[in-house]
Amino acid sequence: MMIIGVDYHPSFQTIAFLMEETGECGEQELKHSDGQAEKFYRDLQQRGICVRVGMEATGYSRWFERLLAELGFELWIGDPAEIKTKRVKKQKYDRNDARLLRRLMLENNFPQIWVPSPENRDLRQLLWHRHRLVQMRTRIMNQLQALAMNEGYRWKKKLFREQGRAQLEKLTLAPWASRRRRELLELLDRMNPTIEELTAAVEREARKRPEVLRLMTHPGVGPLTALAFVLIIGTWERFPRGKQIGNYVGMIPSEDSSAGKQRLGHISKQGNSLLRFLLVEAAQAAARIHPDWRRRYIHLAMRRHKSIAKVAMGRRLAIRLYWMWRNGCEYSQSLEFGSYAGQLGTGHGGK
């Protein structure tokens, strides 16, 4: 078997390989644009060589992963943070990185991580596409609000209702401001149907998965948040404890403690930014509609700060969803903080 450590870059890759049977080893730089890298791996397949490739988790490598899967080669994806800790010398360059990956695989010390399936990755593109379009729509709506406020009108949400829009279109503006208003409204009209179509697609995918429907029974959790949680977490078996979920999505504080003194900083933000955003949004929706969540949020906001309280409630929601998924149970009052016995409301926050 050939063991290959790959230091991957978008335009090229540096490899360090070793033939276990013969002991032959070497290093090489392969470019992507001219097909050099693809030709190298296809030649290995034609020669009937079994190959195991190790590389750090990185972006812009989907085509490379598909190529290795097509050729039947084994691919190990490693945790970059763990790999960095295993570097002995403070010398970092491409060939040295490739050698390090090769050595870790040979020593059976490679920090391999879970890799989502192609279907999972494609569904994540649906979530990201909708999320980015919603962000773009929000920027457009904010610009229209600014145009109205500059003319002395503050209509807030009423601006985008039928009557408010009619009033906006009647405002007398200077030529370039008028053109800006017209083109922003045209962009808004084109984006709304697209976002509605993507939202419907998310809801269809959510209905196909029993675990997503189970998570949606929690107050504040809608199809988007539940589907994103299941797709990004992948499987609950990866996490022995619920606290590890907060660490995985980057919602725990960074720490620099020493000599018995604890120093906590901002949250680590290590993990999927989309899931982190959706969890915070869903937690705020739960605080609006559910008394126990509202009480806990207000208590944290008074002790610390609103932003800290929002993140803390989002982390609590992530752990709650993990246990609902792991235990195969729907939301119930027994999961709540206190003894509230009123009627439960089911919202669709984070949509």
Side-chain angles (χ1 to χ4, degrees), residues 278-289:
L278 292 174
L279 286 170
V280 173
E281 290 290 306
Q284 292 181 71
R288 286 193 297 268
I289 65 177

Side-chain angles (χ1 to χ4, degrees), residues 10-219:
S11 58
F12 70 95
Q13 58 182 266
T14 302
I15 66 171
F17 61 86
L18 171 71
M19 289 292 297
E20 290 186 313
E21 293 79 8
T22 64
E24 176 187 359
C25 62
E27 299 165 3
Q28 191 174 349
E29 184 177 292
L30 305 173
K31 296 190 180 300
H32 298 158
S33 57
D34 58 1
Q36 183 183 7
E38 182 175 353
K39 183 178 183 300
F40 173 82
Y41 290 101
R42 291 193 181 278
D43 288 345
L44 293 178
Q45 185 201 36
Q46 292 176 0
R47 291 163 55 188
I49 300 176
C50 295
V51 177
R52 177 182 296 156
V53 177
M55 58 183 288
E56 293 184 0
T58 182
Y60 314 110
S61 62
R62 300 288 172 82
W63 72 271
F64 182 56
E65 297 175 28
R66 288 195 300 267
L67 173 64
L68 296 182
E70 176 190 343
L71 300 177
F73 293 165
E74 188 177 357
L75 174 62
W76 288 4
I77 304 293
D79 183 355
E82 289 289 334
I83 293 173
K84 184 178 180 180
T85 62
K86 300 179 186 299
R87 185 178 292 112
V88 179
K89 298 181 180 179
K90 292 185 177 181
Q91 295 177 332
K92 185 184 186 306
Y93 52 93
D94 295 344
R95 290 181 180 270
N96 198 20
D97 290 345
R99 292 190 206 112
L100 173 62
L101 295 171
R102 181 185 63 185
R103 176 173 64 83
L104 293 177
M105 287 192 291
L106 291 172
E107 296 174 351
N108 199 25
N109 195 24
F110 189 83
Q112 192 173 0
I113 61 175
W114 173 80
V115 178
S117 65
E119 179 189 6
N120 184 309
R121 285 179 166 178
D122 191 49
L123 284 176
R124 292 189 190 190
Q125 293 299 313
L126 167 63
L127 301 180
W128 270 112
H129 185 42
R130 183 194 176 279
H131 179 63
R132 293 305 187 195
L133 287 181
V134 170
Q135 288 182 322
M136 293 168 61
R137 182 177 64 178
T138 301
R139 295 190 187 103
I140 292 172
M141 295 170 71
N142 289 342
Q143 293 181 63
L144 291 170
Q145 288 280 11
L147 282 173
M149 290 170 62
N150 280 328
E151 300 301 319
Y153 298 97
R154 185 176 173 84
W155 292 317
K156 297 185 179 180
K157 294 182 179 179
K158 296 180 181 179
L159 178 65
F160 303 104
R161 297 171 185 167
E162 184 176 353
Q163 183 179 359
R165 173 157 178 167
Q167 292 176 332
L168 175 63
E169 292 175 345
K170 292 178 182 178
L171 290 179
T172 303
L173 303 177
W176 283 109
S178 178
R179 175 175 175 175
R180 183 187 180 196
R181 174 185 57 188
R182 183 181 70 254
E183 293 181 354
L184 287 174
L185 289 172
E186 291 174 356
L187 287 173
L188 188 63
D189 291 338
R190 288 203 298 266
M191 294 185 69
N192 283 331
T194 303
I195 293 175
E196 291 175 2
E197 179 185 355
L198 295 175
T199 301
V202 170
E203 293 174 350
R204 287 195 301 271
E205 293 295 334
R207 287 194 293 269
K208 296 178 183 178
R209 293 165 172 77
E211 61 273 21
V212 175
L213 296 175
R214 188 177 302 120
L215 299 185
M216 287 170 56
T217 61
H218 193 287

